[in-house]
Amino acid sequence: MQTDQSPYVDMSASDLRLTLLADPVDAACFHVLEAERLEANGLELEARIIGASHWITFRTPQNCVHELFSCHEAVNGKVLSQYGPLKAPFGPVESLVMDEMEYSFHYRIASLKALDPEAREIREAALQAADRDRQTGLIYDFPAQDGLPAPQTIVWACLDPGLLKLATIHSYPNEEALVITHTRIITKLDGRAPQS
């Protein structure tokens, strides 16, 4: 777990948007605060916390997709799809097929004060990920402001054969809100994804 000492600027959960990008994406355009990489069974995952946002790269031998969930527009890379911002709510992104990948994304907004059980489960999984095969967990605390809890971003990811599971939490103490996301990518590497 890391803590950022740079000034934190309050953002709004309603400004978050989901953008799917194709390579190349210039990493120099992002302020990466924490990152981890996983490789297993021909799949590769790079998980990054960028500000109060996340940027995930998922690679197979033939393809690469970037998931950017951020309050800012994508600054580089070829945009495959874009959803949001959350102030214009969008439903689940299900069964989006990109080459040999089947992608799905779900989000929900919860109360920061309610001690959401799903948020607790994701945080615990992120804390324990270092002790488990094919898992990674990132937790990043930003400086607390005005007596509020510290804003926090949490990313948990697991690579199984032909399958990526990802869960994230973005907290907005200024709005007493949590945004919880789940991503699943199935690949044809194990025959489960549909034929294009």
Side-chain angles (χ1 to χ4, degrees), residues 13-128:
S14 66
D15 291 329
L16 284 166
R17 69 187 74 226
L18 170 67
T19 307
L20 301 177
L21 300 160
D23 260 351
V25 172
D26 182 4
C29 293
F30 299 104
H31 182 187
V32 177
L33 302 171
E34 193 167 348
E36 287 285 342
R37 184 179 184 169
L38 287 175
E39 289 185 67
N41 307 304
L43 306 178
E44 181 183 331
L45 167 80
E46 291 179 67
R48 305 171 194 87
I49 293 176
I50 53 170
S53 310
H54 73 254
W55 168 30
I56 309 298
T57 301
F58 184 70
R59 288 186 179 88
T60 68
Q62 293 82 30
N63 201 9
C64 179
V65 173
H66 303 267
E67 174 184 286
L68 179 64
F69 193 59
S70 172
C71 292
H72 302 289
E73 298 246 11
V75 291
N76 64 75
K78 177 186 172 189
V79 175
L80 299 171
S81 297
Q82 190 168 55
Y83 305 87
L86 298 189
K87 63 183 140 202
F90 61 93
V93 178
E94 293 183 329
S95 299
L96 178 63
V97 178
M98 300 172 289
D99 296 327
E100 82 277 23
M101 299 180 183
E102 180 185 313
Y103 175 93
S104 65
F105 176 91
H106 301 257
Y107 77 90
R108 72 180 178 88
I109 300 173
S111 169
L112 184 61
K113 287 187 169 182
L115 299 175
D116 187 89
E118 182 182 21
R120 284 199 311 267
E121 185 178 307
I122 294 168
R123 187 181 198 296
E124 190 62 29
L127 286 169
Q128 295 179 9

Side-chain angles (χ1 to χ4, degrees), residues 128-140:
Q128 295 179 9
D131 299 326
R132 298 180 175 165
D133 288 340
R134 300 184 311 275
Q135 292 190 28
T136 191
L138 304 175
I139 300 176
Y140 203 93

